Amino acid sequence: MPMDGVTFGMIAKELNQLLAGGRVDKVTQPERDEVILLIRNGGENHQLLLSASPACARAHLTRVKKANPLEPPNLCMLLRKHLLGGRLLSVRQAESDRILEFTFEHIDELGDHARKTLIGEFMGKHSNLIFVSADGRIIESARRITENISSFREVVPGVDYCRPPAHGKLPFDQLTPEAVASALEGRGGNLAKALMGTVSGLSTPLARELAYRLTGDEDASMDGREVLPLAQRLCAEMDAILAHPEPRVLLNENGETAEFTAFAYRSREGQRYRAYATLSEAIDDFYFSRDREERIKQKSAAIHRVLKNNIERVEKKLLIKQEALAEGARSEEYRVKGEMLTASPHLVKKGMKRVLLPNYYDENCAMLEVELDEKLNAAANAQRYFKLYRKAQVARRLAEEQIAEATEELAYLENQLENLELCEGEAELAEIREELVRLGYIRSTQSRRQMKALPPSTPLRFVAPDGTEVFVGRNNVQNERLTFSAQPDEWWLHAKDMPGSHVIVKSARPSDETLLFAARLAAKYSKGSASSSVPVDYTQRRHVKKPGGAKPGFVIYTHQKTLLVKPQE
């Protein structure tokens, strides 16, 4: 169930009951489109999260702690100026839509009581947080909408705030059988679509659930139905839903979160779920991982682009150097031709473009065709070939060195791309970025949005069936820290000849079952995770070394054995 008007109506009621009268003690803005207000009420602290994220727009209480920028954005500073120490008077929904108005009272610079409103418009890609004065003028917003962006509705400081255009539907919390029957009269086709076109605040899943409650069929049709009895049952169902929220998160077959609902869906009675005491708890739980993934995806996009561009650059460089290496392989041919010209100068006449000479290096002394510079004599042509020989030798040696360097760089970049996919938090992403800045792939910038120091990221921890701990690194910083802090007799694993995580088994004598478990983890957290069979090397940590001057995360190892495993599911 998306965060539709009905859900926002229910969360507004819950927030108003919990927060109205509370004092604003703290304001933070961890993201450009997200504000967190710490409100103390009833002897408790409550974190109110307002997010205008296009993918996860929402409002609820949260327990999640987030890092904040070193320098707060304009909206945050203005909210602090006007709201700190003030009281939250009310939380209300506007026009049964996805708009919540948080009205505050505070003491202004003149010592008078003043009211201001923080308006959350939670409408997908058009979501915004808008701070409005008592006279209706915009003070600041999370996103400024200028006349160049929208000629219909500006959202910039100093202009009058106007709500998004009304939808003209019946408010879901003020339904009467007569009004609903009149609006449904003459409508045909799908019942759920007819309900969405008649009643405000209904998402498609909610409209289909109502159709199921009214008829026993989510795909029921309006055709041939009496509208008044239908309208009466609809009003009764909506009253029951609004009066008795039953927040829950539905789970899929693997036990993972699949969907959030504000009440029990009768159409999904057999589906597993987790129940919650409040809507805020359910929304916070449901959106936590989704919002984190979306934020990480957004923030890693630039790093992903840098890595892909550099991978393409190195691949082109490798192709050029391999061509140079192929050209260098002709060095022996140049030497032989030079020596044949030196051995048989009497067969070469000035002005000849080519000549056939006996090849003394061939056991049958076969004739060898040698191309000539017609302006040169035999000795000069021989020196020309010796010069080409020396040049090809140097080019070959350089090409071999540069191919080795490019191959190592390509492996590093592909490994970083794999590490980027494993990022689950800002700390891991920051460590990858810092490393790329240090190596010159990304330019160092002093951004106003620079975040406060984040705690070091930690590797993944697993427990094997026999209770042995197994740790998996998720970036080069973690890999090096994990590998070189392990005991010499503990076991180290890595996917063979491909980018992947370092895995440490915290045991000197692990069972075969534990080694297999760790090997499957090494396969999963590698580039071969989508394969059905991945070779994984394992050896004791004492046999793992880091060469001097090697890039972060690069190691060499000996005394290894190899397991062929299926990646851990």
Side-chain angles (χ1 to χ4, degrees), residues 391-450:
K391 185 177 179 181
Q393 283 284 80
V394 171
R396 181 176 183 175
R397 191 161 52 250
L398 286 174
E400 287 173 345
E401 292 172 0
Q402 290 169 340
I403 284 173
E405 290 172 2
T407 301
E408 182 181 331
E409 184 180 10
L410 184 61
Y412 170 78
L413 292 168
E414 288 180 340
N415 193 59
Q416 283 290 51
L417 201 59
E418 191 68 27
N419 291 338
L420 201 62
E421 298 297 321
L422 299 178
C423 279
E424 292 184 357
E426 297 241 6
E428 294 149 25
L429 193 62
E431 287 169 348
I432 291 176
R433 179 180 174 80
E434 287 169 11
E435 186 179 312
L436 293 174
V437 167
R438 192 167 63 251
L439 294 176
Y441 290 103
I442 295 177
R443 188 179 302 169
S444 179
T445 57
Q446 295 298 321
S447 171
R448 292 180 68 247
R449 287 288 298 170
Q450 185 179 1

Side-chain angles (χ1 to χ4, degrees), residues 405-520:
E405 290 172 2
T407 301
E408 182 181 331
E409 184 180 10
L410 184 61
Y412 170 78
L413 292 168
E414 288 180 340
N415 193 59
Q416 283 290 51
L417 201 59
E418 191 68 27
N419 291 338
L420 201 62
E421 298 297 321
L422 299 178
C423 279
E424 292 184 357
E426 297 241 6
E428 294 149 25
L429 193 62
E431 287 169 348
I432 291 176
R433 179 180 174 80
E434 287 169 11
E435 186 179 312
L436 293 174
V437 167
R438 192 167 63 251
L439 294 176
Y441 290 103
I442 295 177
R443 188 179 302 169
S444 179
T445 57
Q446 295 298 321
S447 171
R448 292 180 68 247
R449 287 288 298 170
Q450 185 179 1
M451 305 302 285
K452 292 180 180 176
L454 295 165
S457 65
T458 55
L460 294 171
R461 175 184 175 274
F462 298 88
V463 179
D466 65 358
T468 303
E469 288 185 313
V470 179
F471 290 91
V472 179
R474 287 182 286 183
N475 60 39
N476 290 337
V477 172
Q478 288 185 19
N479 285 336
E480 291 202 351
R481 193 188 302 143
L482 180 63
T483 296
F484 296 109
S485 64
Q487 296 300 313
D489 56 354
E490 291 176 346
W491 288 80
W492 180 91
L493 300 92
H494 193 283
K496 184 180 177 67
D497 298 331
M498 68 178 73
S501 297
H502 294 201
V503 177
I504 290 290
V505 178
K506 304 297 285 185
S507 173
R509 295 183 177 83
S511 65
D512 291 345
E513 186 180 23
T514 295
L515 273 177
L516 181 61
F517 176 81
R520 294 185 67 188

Side-chain angles (χ1 to χ4, degrees), residues 173-243:
D173 53 351
Q174 300 174 29
L175 299 178
T176 64
E178 294 75 19
V180 174
S182 175
L184 288 175
E185 191 68 49
R187 284 183 177 268
N190 184 270
L191 173 57
K193 289 184 178 179
L195 294 177
M196 289 176 66
T198 301
V199 181
S200 69
L202 301 188
S203 60
T204 300
L206 176 53
R208 287 174 61 82
E209 167 65 14
L210 288 171
Y212 180 84
R213 291 188 175 210
L214 298 177
T215 67
D217 182 6
E218 290 180 285
D219 298 309
S221 172
M222 277 290 298
D223 299 332
R225 296 187 184 276
E226 294 185 33
V227 292
L228 184 57
L230 194 70
Q232 290 171 336
R233 293 200 300 277
L234 175 64
C235 291
E237 290 293 346
M238 285 302 302
D239 289 343
I241 288 170
L242 296 175

Side-chain angles (χ1 to χ4, degrees), residues 59-127:
H60 57 88
L61 300 181
T62 182
R63 295 176 182 172
V64 177
K65 305 293 182 183
K66 292 197 171 188
N68 296 299
L70 292 174
E71 185 176 344
N74 284 341
L75 176 60
C76 182
M77 290 191 290
L78 286 166
L79 290 174
R80 288 175 179 175
K81 175 184 176 182
H82 293 284
L83 300 186
L84 283 178
R87 298 279 176 180
L88 174 61
L89 298 182
S90 66
V91 181
R92 64 179 293 271
Q93 183 181 31
E95 298 180 352
S96 302
D97 208 343
R98 292 170 293 169
I99 303 173
L100 298 187
E101 296 179 348
F102 299 82
T103 303
F104 299 87
E105 185 177 71
H106 69 104
I107 306 297
D108 64 15
E109 295 90 340
L110 300 176
D112 297 327
H113 288 274
R115 291 193 178 188
K116 293 186 174 65
T117 304
L118 180 56
I119 301 170
E121 297 178 353
F122 307 101
M123 299 178 170
K125 66 179 181 179
H126 302 295
S127 298

